[in-house]
Amino acid sequence: MQFLIPVLSAILQSASFTIDKFTLNIKKVTYKNYTVISFPLIFIFTLIIFLIFRPPLSLDLFYGKYLLLIAISIILGICTNIIFYKVMKTENLTEIETITLINRVPIVILAGIFFIEERNYITMALAIFSALVLVWSHWEKHHFHIAKKTWPFLIWTFTVAPLVAIITKELLQQFNPIALHLVTSGFEAIFFLIIFSKNFERTPKKAIPFLILTNLLTTIAWILYFFSFIKSGIVFTILVFSLQPLLVYLASIIFLKEKFNKKKAIAFLIILVSIAATQIL
């Protein structure tokens, strides 16, 4: 039953991404007023969860390499979110998910290199296979289709995102997932409030309910994602999260009226079989 946590996380994150795109399509919503409201909300929701479950968190946890890794994680998280939401504002949802799927292979490889417990070669092979199936599902007319404006996000995702996963795994050996998310989201919220404070009041009122909903979903999704790193490991979590781009794709068909693609439907079924195989083998 270990797959339930990452599956639930993938479903919640897919729903959040779909609402994100819908919200960013609202007139006068930019990545600046989006992030300046979203990250304080994420921190507030995480704080509520923290106060309910009371996981350990003290200054004694912040020492040596962990202090450095926390700082790096926060900086990379800020950069990633700025790049991500700038792209999401201008590109369609399936285009963005096409890019995020590319980092699966380097994450799996790096996890196997840095962590002995991640070296389950069957699961690693299925995770890499699932990533390649996703690439195939986005292959159009003898090339991998990527819009020109999204190349910076593509390069960042392929080179930096895998490092974030490794750093997160290391930090979770010291921090409870809820506590880790509280710390990182808190500093990210402070940053966006300082940098984009002028954009706070420019957010259309009709966007607020969607911002509240999407950030509640993504908060829970990230915490579950971190718990899955601990319970099931990076490789298995990434394998299950291969469902996310396809769940977002299905949501985009239903809610955003994007076109049905037979190859993506086939990829969805193949990945489901791969996940099932890890539970049997």
Side-chain angles (χ1 to χ4, degrees), residues 15 24 38 41 52 74 103 110 142 182 186 203 253 257 265-266:
L24 283 164
S38 288
L41 281 173
I52 292 171
I74 292 167
N103 69 0
L110 286 176
H142 306 292
L182 181 71
T203 307
I253 292 175
K257 308 303 179 183
I266 293 171

Side-chain angles (χ1 to χ4, degrees), residues 2-12 228 240-241 243 247 275:
Q2 64 176 339
F3 67 92
L4 290 178
I5 293 177
V7 164
L8 181 56
S9 178
I11 292 171
L12 292 174
S228 184
V240 176
F241 250 71
L243 290 172
L247 291 171
I275 294 169

Side-chain angles (χ1 to χ4, degrees), residues 105-137:
V105 174
I107 288 176
V108 170
I109 293 172
L110 286 176
I113 292 172
F114 284 96
F115 303 105
I116 296 175
E117 66 273 18
E118 297 286 350
R119 294 173 195 169
N120 182 322
Y121 294 109
I122 293 177
T123 305
M124 289 178 70
L126 287 170
I128 293 173
F129 173 69
S130 296
L132 294 176
V133 166
L134 282 171
V135 172
W136 166 78
S137 71

Side-chain angles (χ1 to χ4, degrees), residues 24-251:
L24 283 164
N25 285 342
I26 295 174
K27 188 177 180 181
K28 294 184 179 180
V29 175
T30 68
Y31 79 93
K32 292 181 179 180
N33 54 25
Y34 188 92
T35 52
V36 78
I37 291 178
S38 288
F39 283 90
L41 281 173
I42 290 171
F43 173 72
I44 291 169
F45 289 136
T46 307
L47 180 60
I48 292 171
I49 295 171
F50 176 84
L51 292 175
I52 292 171
F53 292 97
R54 300 281 183 173
L57 179 62
S58 68
L59 291 176
D60 295 335
L61 297 172
F62 298 86
Y63 68 88
K65 69 175 183 179
Y66 294 107
L67 182 60
L68 177 62
L69 290 176
I70 280 283
I72 294 172
S73 178
I74 292 167
I75 292 169
L76 294 181
I78 289 169
C79 294
T80 298
N81 282 292
I82 290 174
I83 295 170
F84 177 78
Y85 286 109
K86 284 184 71 174
V87 171
M88 183 173 274
K89 175 65 180 178
T90 58
E91 300 299 327
N92 65 50
L93 202 52
T94 53
E95 180 75 21
I96 296 165
E97 286 301 313
T98 299
I99 295 172
T100 57
L101 64 87
I102 295 175
N103 69 0
R104 268 50 173 187
V105 174
I107 288 176
V108 170
I109 293 172
L110 286 176
I113 292 172
F114 284 96
F115 303 105
I116 296 175
E117 66 273 18
E118 297 286 350
R119 294 173 195 169
N120 182 322
Y121 294 109
I122 293 177
T123 305
M124 289 178 70
L126 287 170
I128 293 173
F129 173 69
S130 296
L132 294 176
V133 166
L134 282 171
V135 172
W136 166 78
S137 71
H138 290 78
W139 196 271
E140 298 178 9
K141 297 179 181 180
H142 306 292
H143 70 282
F144 193 63
H145 179 71
I146 293 290
K148 291 182 180 180
K149 292 182 180 180
T150 59
W151 274 102
F153 181 51
L154 169 63
I155 294 170
W156 180 267
T157 299
F158 190 77
T159 57
V160 178
L163 296 177
V164 174
I166 301 303
I167 291 171
T168 300
K169 171 78 173 184
E170 186 67 25
L171 286 170
L172 288 170
Q173 296 182 19
Q174 177 81 347
F175 290 85
N176 174 276
I178 299 172
L180 177 61
H181 198 252
L182 181 71
V183 173
T184 55
S185 64
F187 280 101
E188 288 169 353
I190 292 169
F191 173 85
F192 286 114
L193 281 171
I194 293 173
I195 299 300
F196 297 144
S197 58
K198 293 181 180 179
N199 297 272
F200 194 89
E201 296 179 356
R202 299 175 187 175
T203 307
K205 291 183 179 179
K206 65 180 180 180
I208 300 300
F210 298 107
L211 285 167
I212 293 172
L213 178 58
T214 188
N215 288 297
L216 174 60
L217 294 176
T218 198
T219 299
I220 298 171
W222 275 111
I223 291 173
L224 290 174
Y225 184 75
F226 289 167
F227 271 110
S228 184
F229 267 31
I230 295 173
K231 300 290 185 181
S232 305
I234 294 176
V235 175
F236 183 78
T237 302
I238 293 301
L239 169 60
V240 176
F241 250 71
S242 296
L243 290 172
Q244 183 189 324
L246 298 172
L247 291 171
V248 171
Y249 163 68
L250 292 174

